[in-house]
Amino acid sequence: CIWSGPAYSSLQNGESVFLRSCQEKDTISGEVTIPSQLGGRTVTRISVGAFFKCSKVTSVVLSSGVRTLEEGCFEHCGELLSILLPNGMVEIGDYAFHDCEKLQSVTIPDSVLKIGGCAFKGCGALKSITVSGLVANIGSLAFEDCGGLTSIVLGENVTSIGENAFLKCDALKTVMFEGAPPVGVLAASIKQDTDIRYNRLYEEEWLPVIASG
């Protein structure tokens, strides 16, 4: 369905809108498509808790104008299997997909700059994730308890990984950095037997990270 519920508010510039909340949490189900415009204005963000506990939603398609996913906007969507994030998105907020335990597929657009704390915490069905493009910061506990996650690719622009970002990712086998790994990467709670590699000076060969101490 195309969700165009009544709950939206104008931003101060009067040219954009953001979805404030889904007032149909008990009835909305299946695939949800966020429209590009509401009331003649471009939808630019999904607000705090907008789809919190929309337990019957299975997939979401966001319009190309959405730039920001705010805190907990899809938190506890227990049946969510996939979401299509548009190119041009710049931020995935704290707890955005927390406890979306059936989420199997998500592609982080190259335009994203920041992945917030606990953004994908408890997404146990995720098998792999690629964080490339412009992403510089991955928040604390961002992927905690993603028990099915087996591989991660992190882009060359990642300079900061928050504490315990990969805690309890017990199936994790490989982490590959497209550039040099950030200082203190091991503090991100990547388990000790994980194969961590990086591409030095863009050479084709992945070189192993050697932990000191």
mmCIF file of all heavy atoms in Angstrom, residues 127-131 138 143 146 149-155 165-166 169 172-178 190 194-195 197 206:
data_model
loop_
_atom_site.group_PDB
_atom_site.id
_atom_site.type_symbol
_atom_site.label_atom_id
_atom_site.label_comp_id
_atom_site.label_asym_id
_atom_site.label_seq_id
_atom_site.Cartn_x
_atom_site.Cartn_y
_atom_site.Cartn_z
ATOM 1 N N LYS A 127 22.540 -11.099 7.351
ATOM 2 C CA LYS A 127 23.659 -12.004 7.092
ATOM 3 C C LYS A 127 24.938 -11.249 6.737
ATOM 4 O O LYS A 127 26.043 -11.685 7.073
ATOM 5 C CB LYS A 127 23.304 -12.963 5.948
ATOM 6 C CG LYS A 127 22.084 -13.829 6.213
ATOM 7 C CD LYS A 127 22.280 -14.756 7.391
ATOM 8 C CE LYS A 127 21.080 -15.664 7.591
ATOM 9 N NZ LYS A 127 21.191 -16.487 8.808
ATOM 10 N N SER A 128 24.788 -10.151 6.023
ATOM 11 C CA SER A 128 25.965 -9.370 5.633
ATOM 12 C C SER A 128 25.552 -7.912 5.515
ATOM 13 O O SER A 128 24.380 -7.588 5.338
ATOM 14 C CB SER A 128 26.545 -9.862 4.308
ATOM 15 O OG SER A 128 25.616 -9.684 3.247
ATOM 16 N N ILE A 129 26.538 -7.038 5.626
ATOM 17 C CA ILE A 129 26.272 -5.607 5.523
ATOM 18 C C ILE A 129 27.481 -4.941 4.872
ATOM 19 O O ILE A 129 28.625 -5.303 5.146
ATOM 20 C CB ILE A 129 25.981 -4.982 6.911
ATOM 21 C CG1 ILE A 129 25.404 -3.581 6.773
ATOM 22 C CG2 ILE A 129 27.202 -4.988 7.796
ATOM 23 C CD1 ILE A 129 23.958 -3.544 6.451
ATOM 24 N N THR A 130 27.210 -4.001 3.966
ATOM 25 C CA THR A 130 28.266 -3.199 3.351
ATOM 26 C C THR A 130 28.019 -1.745 3.702
ATOM 27 O O THR A 130 26.964 -1.194 3.401
ATOM 28 C CB THR A 130 28.290 -3.375 1.824
ATOM 29 O OG1 THR A 130 28.583 -4.730 1.507
ATOM 30 C CG2 THR A 130 29.354 -2.477 1.197
ATOM 31 N N VAL A 131 29.003 -1.143 4.353
ATOM 32 C CA VAL A 131 28.929 0.258 4.744
ATOM 33 C C VAL A 131 30.030 0.979 3.984
ATOM 34 O O VAL A 131 31.169 1.045 4.425
ATOM 35 C CB VAL A 131 29.108 0.433 6.268
ATOM 36 C CG1 VAL A 131 28.975 1.903 6.650
ATOM 37 C CG2 VAL A 131 28.094 -0.400 7.024
ATOM 38 N N ILE A 138 30.156 5.192 12.762
ATOM 39 C CA ILE A 138 29.255 4.111 13.138
ATOM 40 C C ILE A 138 29.100 4.170 14.648
ATOM 41 O O ILE A 138 30.076 4.098 15.388
ATOM 42 C CB ILE A 138 29.811 2.744 12.701
ATOM 43 C CG1 ILE A 138 29.938 2.695 11.170
ATOM 44 C CG2 ILE A 138 28.924 1.607 13.199
ATOM 45 C CD1 ILE A 138 30.593 1.439 10.655
ATOM 46 N N PHE A 143 25.438 -2.470 15.676
ATOM 47 C CA PHE A 143 25.079 -3.792 15.162
ATOM 48 C C PHE A 143 25.109 -4.848 16.267
ATOM 49 O O PHE A 143 25.271 -6.036 15.990
ATOM 50 C CB PHE A 143 26.024 -4.191 14.029
ATOM 51 C CG PHE A 143 25.905 -3.316 12.812
ATOM 52 C CD1 PHE A 143 26.743 -2.226 12.639
ATOM 53 C CD2 PHE A 143 24.944 -3.569 11.847
ATOM 54 C CE1 PHE A 143 26.632 -1.399 11.519
ATOM 55 C CE2 PHE A 143 24.819 -2.764 10.726
ATOM 56 C CZ PHE A 143 25.668 -1.682 10.566
ATOM 57 N N CYS A 146 23.484 -8.806 16.384
ATOM 58 C CA CYS A 146 23.102 -9.258 15.040
ATOM 59 C C CYS A 146 23.683 -10.660 14.881
ATOM 60 O O CYS A 146 24.737 -10.856 14.252
ATOM 61 C CB CYS A 146 23.623 -8.299 13.971
ATOM 62 S SG CYS A 146 22.790 -6.696 13.954
ATOM 63 N N LEU A 149 24.890 -12.234 11.476
ATOM 64 C CA LEU A 149 25.820 -11.488 10.635
ATOM 65 C C LEU A 149 27.140 -12.241 10.495
ATOM 66 O O LEU A 149 27.797 -12.539 11.490
ATOM 67 C CB LEU A 149 26.060 -10.111 11.256
ATOM 68 C CG LEU A 149 26.706 -9.027 10.402
ATOM 69 C CD1 LEU A 149 25.834 -8.699 9.196
ATOM 70 C CD2 LEU A 149 26.922 -7.769 11.244
ATOM 71 N N THR A 150 27.518 -12.552 9.255
ATOM 72 C CA THR A 150 28.746 -13.312 9.013
ATOM 73 C C THR A 150 29.853 -12.488 8.364
ATOM 74 O O THR A 150 31.025 -12.827 8.500
ATOM 75 C CB THR A 150 28.461 -14.530 8.116
ATOM 76 O OG1 THR A 150 27.934 -14.095 6.853
ATOM 77 C CG2 THR A 150 27.471 -15.478 8.781
ATOM 78 N N SER A 151 29.503 -11.409 7.666
ATOM 79 C CA SER A 151 30.543 -10.607 7.012
ATOM 80 C C SER A 151 30.149 -9.138 6.962
ATOM 81 O O SER A 151 28.971 -8.795 6.868
ATOM 82 C CB SER A 151 30.803 -11.110 5.595
ATOM 83 O OG SER A 151 29.671 -10.930 4.768
ATOM 84 N N ILE A 152 31.163 -8.296 7.042
ATOM 85 C CA ILE A 152 30.979 -6.851 7.004
ATOM 86 C C ILE A 152 32.050 -6.255 6.100
ATOM 87 O O ILE A 152 33.222 -6.640 6.183
ATOM 88 C CB ILE A 152 31.113 -6.218 8.401
ATOM 89 C CG1 ILE A 152 30.114 -6.828 9.386
ATOM 90 C CG2 ILE A 152 30.910 -4.706 8.345
ATOM 91 C CD1 ILE A 152 30.393 -6.434 10.832
ATOM 92 N N VAL A 153 31.653 -5.324 5.238
ATOM 93 C CA VAL A 153 32.602 -4.534 4.465
ATOM 94 C C VAL A 153 32.418 -3.080 4.876
ATOM 95 O O VAL A 153 31.303 -2.547 4.844
ATOM 96 C CB VAL A 153 32.370 -4.680 2.950
ATOM 97 C CG1 VAL A 153 33.340 -3.783 2.187
ATOM 98 C CG2 VAL A 153 32.553 -6.130 2.515
ATOM 99 N N LEU A 154 33.511 -2.432 5.291
ATOM 100 C CA LEU A 154 33.466 -1.048 5.755
ATOM 101 C C LEU A 154 34.289 -0.173 4.818
ATOM 102 O O LEU A 154 35.437 -0.498 4.489
ATOM 103 C CB LEU A 154 34.002 -0.942 7.183
ATOM 104 C CG LEU A 154 33.221 -1.740 8.235
ATOM 105 C CD1 LEU A 154 33.922 -1.672 9.581
ATOM 106 C CD2 LEU A 154 31.805 -1.212 8.354
ATOM 107 N N GLY A 155 33.713 0.945 4.388
ATOM 108 C CA GLY A 155 34.340 1.812 3.397
ATOM 109 C C GLY A 155 35.540 2.571 3.907
ATOM 110 O O GLY A 155 35.775 2.677 5.117
ATOM 111 N N ALA A 165 30.241 -1.768 18.982
ATOM 112 C CA ALA A 165 29.416 -1.687 17.771
ATOM 113 C C ALA A 165 29.023 -3.059 17.249
ATOM 114 O O ALA A 165 27.944 -3.213 16.660
ATOM 115 C CB ALA A 165 30.149 -0.904 16.693
ATOM 116 N N PHE A 166 29.874 -4.068 17.452
ATOM 117 C CA PHE A 166 29.606 -5.412 16.935
ATOM 118 C C PHE A 166 29.545 -6.457 18.055
ATOM 119 O O PHE A 166 29.829 -7.632 17.836
ATOM 120 C CB PHE A 166 30.663 -5.792 15.897
ATOM 121 C CG PHE A 166 30.734 -4.822 14.747
ATOM 122 C CD1 PHE A 166 31.758 -3.902 14.667
ATOM 123 C CD2 PHE A 166 29.762 -4.823 13.774
ATOM 124 C CE1 PHE A 166 31.823 -2.988 13.618
ATOM 125 C CE2 PHE A 166 29.813 -3.923 12.722
ATOM 126 C CZ PHE A 166 30.849 -3.004 12.649
ATOM 127 N N CYS A 169 27.923 -10.337 17.993
ATOM 128 C CA CYS A 169 27.790 -10.811 16.607
ATOM 129 C C CYS A 169 28.558 -12.130 16.514
ATOM 130 O O CYS A 169 29.656 -12.213 15.939
ATOM 131 C CB CYS A 169 28.332 -9.777 15.625
ATOM 132 S SG CYS A 169 27.356 -8.266 15.547
ATOM 133 N N LEU A 172 30.027 -13.768 13.222
ATOM 134 C CA LEU A 172 30.861 -12.937 12.368
ATOM 135 C C LEU A 172 32.191 -13.617 12.054
ATOM 136 O O LEU A 172 32.928 -14.023 12.948
ATOM 137 C CB LEU A 172 31.108 -11.590 13.052
ATOM 138 C CG LEU A 172 31.750 -10.487 12.215
ATOM 139 C CD1 LEU A 172 30.897 -10.149 11.005
ATOM 140 C CD2 LEU A 172 31.968 -9.247 13.079
ATOM 141 N N LYS A 173 32.488 -13.736 10.757
ATOM 142 C CA LYS A 173 33.714 -14.403 10.313
ATOM 143 C C LYS A 173 34.728 -13.429 9.722
ATOM 144 O O LYS A 173 35.929 -13.576 9.931
ATOM 145 C CB LYS A 173 33.379 -15.478 9.272
ATOM 146 C CG LYS A 173 32.459 -16.587 9.777
ATOM 147 C CD LYS A 173 33.084 -17.362 10.914
ATOM 148 C CE LYS A 173 32.176 -18.507 11.357
ATOM 149 N NZ LYS A 173 32.729 -19.214 12.542
ATOM 150 N N THR A 174 34.252 -12.448 8.935
ATOM 151 C CA THR A 174 35.186 -11.541 8.266
ATOM 152 C C THR A 174 34.713 -10.092 8.361
ATOM 153 O O THR A 174 33.528 -9.804 8.257
ATOM 154 C CB THR A 174 35.350 -11.887 6.770
ATOM 155 O OG1 THR A 174 34.083 -11.799 6.114
ATOM 156 C CG2 THR A 174 35.921 -13.271 6.597
ATOM 157 N N VAL A 175 35.691 -9.203 8.580
ATOM 158 C CA VAL A 175 35.475 -7.763 8.486
ATOM 159 C C VAL A 175 36.538 -7.216 7.550
ATOM 160 O O VAL A 175 37.730 -7.421 7.779
ATOM 161 C CB VAL A 175 35.586 -7.073 9.858
ATOM 162 C CG1 VAL A 175 35.449 -5.564 9.707
ATOM 163 C CG2 VAL A 175 34.536 -7.614 10.813
ATOM 164 N N MET A 176 36.101 -6.559 6.491
ATOM 165 C CA MET A 176 37.047 -6.023 5.517
ATOM 166 C C MET A 176 36.901 -4.507 5.432
ATOM 167 O O MET A 176 35.815 -3.985 5.214
ATOM 168 C CB MET A 176 36.820 -6.654 4.146
ATOM 169 C CG MET A 176 37.178 -8.123 4.097
ATOM 170 S SD MET A 176 37.117 -8.806 2.421
ATOM 171 C CE MET A 176 37.693 -10.481 2.730
ATOM 172 N N PHE A 177 38.022 -3.807 5.611
ATOM 173 C CA PHE A 177 38.062 -2.359 5.482
ATOM 174 C C PHE A 177 38.584 -2.002 4.099
ATOM 175 O O PHE A 177 39.624 -2.507 3.667
ATOM 176 C CB PHE A 177 38.991 -1.762 6.539
ATOM 177 C CG PHE A 177 38.457 -1.866 7.941
ATOM 178 C CD1 PHE A 177 38.724 -2.989 8.716
ATOM 179 C CD2 PHE A 177 37.691 -0.846 8.479
ATOM 180 C CE1 PHE A 177 38.238 -3.083 10.007
ATOM 181 C CE2 PHE A 177 37.202 -0.941 9.770
ATOM 182 C CZ PHE A 177 37.472 -2.057 10.540
ATOM 183 N N GLU A 178 37.882 -1.114 3.407
ATOM 184 C CA GLU A 178 38.338 -0.677 2.090
ATOM 185 C C GLU A 178 39.487 0.318 2.205
ATOM 186 O O GLU A 178 40.155 0.615 1.224
ATOM 187 C CB GLU A 178 37.167 -0.085 1.312
ATOM 188 C CG GLU A 178 36.119 -1.141 0.960
ATOM 189 C CD GLU A 178 34.908 -0.584 0.248
ATOM 190 O OE1 GLU A 178 34.687 0.652 0.316
ATOM 191 O OE2 GLU A 178 34.183 -1.370 -0.372
ATOM 192 N N ILE A 190 34.688 -6.615 18.106
ATOM 193 C CA ILE A 190 34.766 -7.652 17.083
ATOM 194 C C ILE A 190 35.449 -8.847 17.727
ATOM 195 O O ILE A 190 36.534 -8.726 18.283
ATOM 196 C CB ILE A 190 35.565 -7.165 15.863
ATOM 197 C CG1 ILE A 190 34.864 -5.969 15.222
ATOM 198 C CG2 ILE A 190 35.736 -8.280 14.848
ATOM 199 C CD1 ILE A 190 35.640 -5.321 14.102
ATOM 200 N N THR A 194 37.774 -13.308 14.550
ATOM 201 C CA THR A 194 37.297 -12.749 13.283
ATOM 202 C C THR A 194 38.479 -12.376 12.398
ATOM 203 O O THR A 194 39.477 -11.828 12.864
ATOM 204 C CB THR A 194 36.433 -11.497 13.537
ATOM 205 O OG1 THR A 194 35.331 -11.851 14.366
ATOM 206 C CG2 THR A 194 35.900 -10.925 12.233
ATOM 207 N N ASP A 195 38.377 -12.675 11.127
ATOM 208 C CA ASP A 195 39.410 -12.318 10.155
ATOM 209 C C ASP A 195 39.213 -10.862 9.750
ATOM 210 O O ASP A 195 38.296 -10.532 8.995
ATOM 211 C CB ASP A 195 39.290 -13.237 8.933
ATOM 212 C CG ASP A 195 40.377 -12.978 7.901
ATOM 213 O OD1 ASP A 195 41.389 -12.334 8.250
ATOM 214 O OD2 ASP A 195 40.207 -13.409 6.747
ATOM 215 N N ARG A 197 40.623 -7.578 7.868
ATOM 216 C CA ARG A 197 41.587 -7.219 6.825
ATOM 217 C C ARG A 197 41.311 -5.824 6.296
ATOM 218 O O ARG A 197 40.207 -5.320 6.403
ATOM 219 C CB ARG A 197 41.541 -8.234 5.677
ATOM 220 C CG ARG A 197 42.002 -9.623 6.098
ATOM 221 C CD ARG A 197 41.801 -10.656 5.000
ATOM 222 N NE ARG A 197 42.380 -11.937 5.396
ATOM 223 C CZ ARG A 197 43.597 -12.333 5.056
ATOM 224 N NH1 ARG A 197 44.357 -11.569 4.301
ATOM 225 N NH2 ARG A 197 44.069 -13.501 5.463
ATOM 226 N N TRP A 206 44.004 -7.978 0.040
ATOM 227 C CA TRP A 206 43.585 -7.633 1.393
ATOM 228 C C TRP A 206 44.681 -8.060 2.360
ATOM 229 O O TRP A 206 45.128 -9.203 2.362
ATOM 230 C CB TRP A 206 42.287 -8.355 1.745
ATOM 231 C CG TRP A 206 41.096 -7.840 1.006
ATOM 232 C CD1 TRP A 206 40.500 -8.407 -0.067
ATOM 233 C CD2 TRP A 206 40.364 -6.663 1.272
ATOM 234 N NE1 TRP A 206 39.447 -7.648 -0.495
ATOM 235 C CE2 TRP A 206 39.323 -6.577 0.322
ATOM 236 C CE3 TRP A 206 40.477 -5.661 2.235
ATOM 237 C CZ2 TRP A 206 38.412 -5.531 0.284
ATOM 238 C CZ3 TRP A 206 39.554 -4.620 2.213
ATOM 239 C CH2 TRP A 206 38.539 -4.558 1.251
#
